[in-house]
Amino acid sequence: MSRFLIDRFQGMEGYQLGEQPKNREYIKLNANESPFPPSPLVLASVTGELQRAQRLYPDPACTEIRREVARLYGLPMEKIFCDAGSDVILGYAIQAFGGRGCPVCFPDVTYNFYKVCCRTFGVPFHEVPLREDFQLAVEDYRGRRGCVFIPNPNAPTGLTLTLEQIERLLAQDRDRLVLIDEAYVDYGNESCIPLTVQYDNLLVVHTLSKAYSLAGARVGFAVGSEAVIKDLNALKDSFNPDSISTLSHAAGAAALRDQAYMRRCVGAVMETRDWLKEELRALGFTLTDSHTSFLLASPKGISAPEYAKKLRERGILIRYYPQPRIDGYVRISIGSREQMEHFLQATKEILAAL
Ligand SMILES: *Cc1c(COP(=O)(O)O)cnc(C)c1O
């Protein structure tokens, strides 16, 4: 740390990303990246864009992407915000709506970025414990006046709320903003985006990093009331209006256009997930009922960090969280069927050698 850094940023640690080592080829099951390439439409679109307009600044309004989202959900474009990845949008939301005298609330076991981001921007937060079985009870948010951040499905538990539960959360206090982070919604879950029509206190955030195989391109979008979207645009325009490159913009719009391709990829991931879940259960693992592109699993007869370490020695990366309540678990991203067969074989060898 330099002696010039202001107080608020001292001790800043940053979000622990899944590592991206380059020393050897790994089977990467540690960042919930898609095992599939993006839609062929993406390649065509990006190639065309590359030849066209790199000389010019990009379209700051991200019109093409917002048009696709508007068409997909049957909503006006004024309800849609777009930026370079959903983390950026979460960061803007924390800054714009977070510090109104009441702490931002989120579950104690959830996407760690919320906490990191609150700390970075000096926004107070409160962690609401999940129930014993990792279920989220919306009653636990009653009377909490600060805005609420919840991933649905939650990460890394993989558990979902029903739309009816989300609606109850929204109705508890219409003067409180609720942000639902739908990073994994496409893995067989129902989006709450339609609720943005009745509830102006709902903001729904999506990413193209997971189901659309575009983690490297950095594209995310949010849907909410026109007023809330205006606020987000004001922040973006005052900080980094050109955050999405022309190439990422072309990639994102093309990926959204190819819904059939996304559905096929997601279908394959879900099928592999459900197969692997049964296999691990047969080995004595404890698993949550994940509705995402990963499994949260507690291995049998070996500690979670030891298991992760032994997999790493075999060229397979998974995620372990040294934090209360889930330190007995690992998070395994679902790759291709072939990768997961390899993973299962390695797991069997590790268990056999204990
Ligand atoms: C992956 C993920 C994100 C981040 O997505 P980006 O668009 O790549 O920034 C946000 N929220 C949750 C819950 C995620 O798992």
Side-chain angles (χ1 to χ4, degrees):
M1 176 200 324
S2 81
R3 66 182 191 283
F4 309 110
L5 190 67
I6 64 169
D7 289 349
R8 203 176 81 202
F9 290 152
Q10 306 224 353
M12 193 167 44
E13 278 177 25
Y15 175 71
Q16 282 286 330
L17 291 160
E19 58 175 336
Q20 306 276 5
K22 302 283 180 253
N23 59 329
R24 63 178 273 196
E25 276 281 309
Y26 285 98
I27 295 183
K28 277 196 84 265
L29 309 175
N30 67 340
N32 297 341
E33 291 146 331
S34 168
F36 304 111
S39 152
L41 295 191
V42 169
L43 185 63
S45 176
V46 169
T47 309
E49 192 57 46
L50 197 52
Q51 288 164 346
R52 212 168 24 248
Q54 289 307 295
R55 190 175 56 80
L56 305 175
Y57 279 109
D59 166 24
C62 303
T63 310
E64 279 302 306
I65 290 178
R66 287 171 50 242
R67 203 196 315 278
E68 289 306 322
V69 176
R71 178 151 49 210
L72 219 55
Y73 293 98
L75 294 170
M77 283 174 68
E78 290 71 29
K79 286 174 72 68
I80 299 155
F81 176 77
C82 180
D83 213 322
S86 59
D87 282 350
V88 174
I89 303 176
L90 297 169
Y92 281 147
I94 282 170
Q95 291 173 82
F97 312 116
R100 291 205 312 162
C102 311
V104 174
C105 292
F106 39 78
D108 63 338
V109 177
T110 196
Y111 186 39
N112 274 328
F113 183 74
Y114 305 152
K115 184 163 36 178
V116 169
C117 207
C118 282
R119 286 197 176 124
T120 302
F121 295 121
V123 172
F125 60 88
H126 174 82
E127 295 171 273
V128 180
L130 295 176
R131 298 294 172 93
E132 200 63 39
D133 53 0
F134 296 142
Q135 294 287 348
L136 188 154
V138 295
E139 296 74 45
D140 297 346
Y141 290 78
R142 193 177 294 285
R144 292 256 159 227
R145 294 182 44 235
C147 72
V148 172
F149 278 53
I150 292 175
N152 190 43
N154 195 7
T157 65
L159 302 181
T160 52
L161 290 175
T162 62
L163 289 198
E164 187 265 327
Q165 286 170 312
I166 290 174
E167 192 161 0
R168 266 196 284 139
L169 185 68
L170 292 165
Q172 275 174 9
D173 179 355
R174 283 183 173 253
D175 291 323
R176 176 188 68 186
L177 187 76
V178 174
L179 184 149
I180 302 290
D181 179 349
E182 292 193 329
Y184 301 100
V185 75
D186 293 311
Y187 297 90
N189 309 292
E190 203 176 348
S191 173
C192 68
I193 284 179
L195 291 178
T196 60
V197 175
Q198 301 128 268
Y199 292 92
D200 72 349
N201 59 327
L202 172 62
L203 182 64
V204 189
V205 178
H206 276 220
T207 176
L208 272 60
S209 297
K210 314 278 164 55
Y212 292 92
S213 307
L214 282 182
R218 314 303 306 130
V219 185
F221 64 85
V223 182
S225 78
E226 242 177 84
V228 163
I229 297 305
K230 254 201 181 118
D231 294 340
L232 290 174
N233 272 315
L235 255 90
K236 175 179 168 171
D237 292 345
S238 311
F239 178 64
N240 192 1
D242 290 317
S243 58
I244 301 203
S245 73
T246 50
L247 299 183
S248 292
H249 191 194
L256 285 166
R257 226 170 275 136
D258 201 347
Q259 288 292 306
Y261 179 85
M262 183 275 278
R263 297 266 159 243
R264 276 204 302 283
C265 293
V266 158
V269 165
M270 286 163 63
E271 199 174 303
T272 304
R273 175 192 72 197
D274 295 342
W275 160 78
L276 182 67
K277 189 170 160 187
E278 289 317 308
E279 293 287 334
L280 291 176
R281 198 167 267 156
L283 294 175
F285 282 45
T286 308
L287 296 110
T288 59
D289 184 22
S290 174
H291 291 257
T292 64
S293 61
F294 57 81
L295 288 172
L296 188 71
S298 178
K300 190 178 168 206
I302 182 169
S303 75
E306 189 64 15
Y307 173 52
K309 182 165 153 269
K310 286 187 185 296
L311 282 170
R312 194 175 205 287
E313 288 162 8
R314 286 170 168 76
I316 300 170
L317 301 177
I318 59 169
R319 196 75 191 262
Y320 160 70
Y321 302 89
Q323 70 183 56
R325 299 192 71 184
I326 53 166
D327 54 3
Y329 287 83
V330 293
R331 189 194 70 188
I332 307 151
S333 309
I334 302 301
S336 66
R337 175 72 184 226
E338 190 191 355
Q339 288 177 316
M340 300 328 280
E341 276 171 8
H342 199 90
F343 162 85
L344 184 64
Q345 185 56 36
T347 295
K348 285 179 177 167
E349 286 169 20
I350 289 166
L351 295 182
L354 289 178

